[in-house]
Amino acid sequence: MNIQQLIKQSKFESPQQMAYINLVYTYYYFHEKHCALLKPHGILPQHYNVLKIVKGRHPNPVTPSHILDVMLDKKRDLTRLVDKLVDLGLLNRSQSPENKRYIHISLSETGLELTLKMEAELKTQLVHYLDSNDSILLSDLLDRMR
């Protein structure tokens, strides 16, 4: 179904407006699907993003500043996100042995297992819509938009 049918609008001011509305609509479509996949695990997309960032350096720990540098949603309170993941037993937080001012964050075994499980679920549920060539094309178009 195309965007005109989905939002019951037959006319747009321009093709650019139609593309922008389609982009926003599609964002919410996938955001809802993403949230639905994460909800049974008791986490939000921002938590999943933190887990993926920490997993990217696993088994080495990361610092909060590294997480902030690469987070998708930079408006979130990182301390609360990490606190929740520590409380759930998914992350470990410790002081750096070399410098007590630095905090190290690493995945727990439970966090690694859950992250791998969620990655597999997201792959089968959300990432299969486009083949590799179309995925590259879409990514290039989104880069151009930004």
Side-chain angles (χ1 to χ4, degrees):
M1 190 176 291
N2 65 32
I3 191 66
Q4 293 96 327
Q5 295 165 320
L6 287 168
I7 66 170
K8 297 172 180 58
Q9 182 171 335
S10 60
K11 230 175 161 183
F12 293 92
E13 291 176 16
S14 65
Q16 290 82 1
Q17 182 198 38
M18 182 174 69
Y20 179 75
I21 290 170
N22 201 342
L23 177 67
V24 172
Y25 184 93
T26 304
Y27 162 77
Y28 284 110
Y29 173 83
F30 281 105
H31 183 71
E32 287 176 22
K33 284 180 155 289
H34 189 110
C35 288
L37 285 172
L38 299 175
K39 188 175 182 174
H41 305 292
I43 66 170
L44 299 170
Q46 296 84 4
H47 296 119
Y48 180 70
N49 185 217
V50 171
L51 289 171
K52 289 284 292 176
I53 292 166
V54 177
K55 181 184 170 281
R57 293 283 177 97
H58 183 74
N60 299 317
V62 298
T63 61
S65 62
H66 170 73
I67 296 171
L68 280 171
D69 286 344
V70 295
M71 275 179 71
L72 297 176
D73 185 354
K74 297 182 187 303
K75 298 180 297 257
R76 297 295 174 179
D77 181 357
L78 180 61
T79 302
R80 278 192 285 174
L81 293 172
V82 170
D83 286 349
K84 166 116 185 213
L85 294 168
V86 168
D87 290 346
L88 291 171
L90 303 176
L91 290 181
N92 299 314
R93 180 178 33 217
S94 60
Q95 283 185 325
S96 166
E98 299 87 37
N99 186 336
K100 300 290 183 201
R101 294 178 299 187
Y102 290 111
I103 301 295
H104 284 170
I105 299 168
S106 59
L107 277 175
S108 67
E109 275 304 311
T110 305
L112 178 60
E113 289 170 13
L114 181 62
T115 304
L116 291 170
K117 180 180 179 183
M118 289 185 297
E119 284 174 342
E121 289 174 6
L122 289 168
K123 238 180 237 180
T124 60
Q125 297 295 315
L126 298 179
V127 189
H128 69 281
Y129 289 94
L130 302 173
D131 66 21
S132 294
N133 290 333
D134 285 344
S135 295
I136 291 168
L137 175 61
L138 176 60
S139 188
D140 288 344
L141 289 170
L142 292 170
D143 288 345
R144 285 177 42 198
M145 285 183 73
R146 283 190 313 280

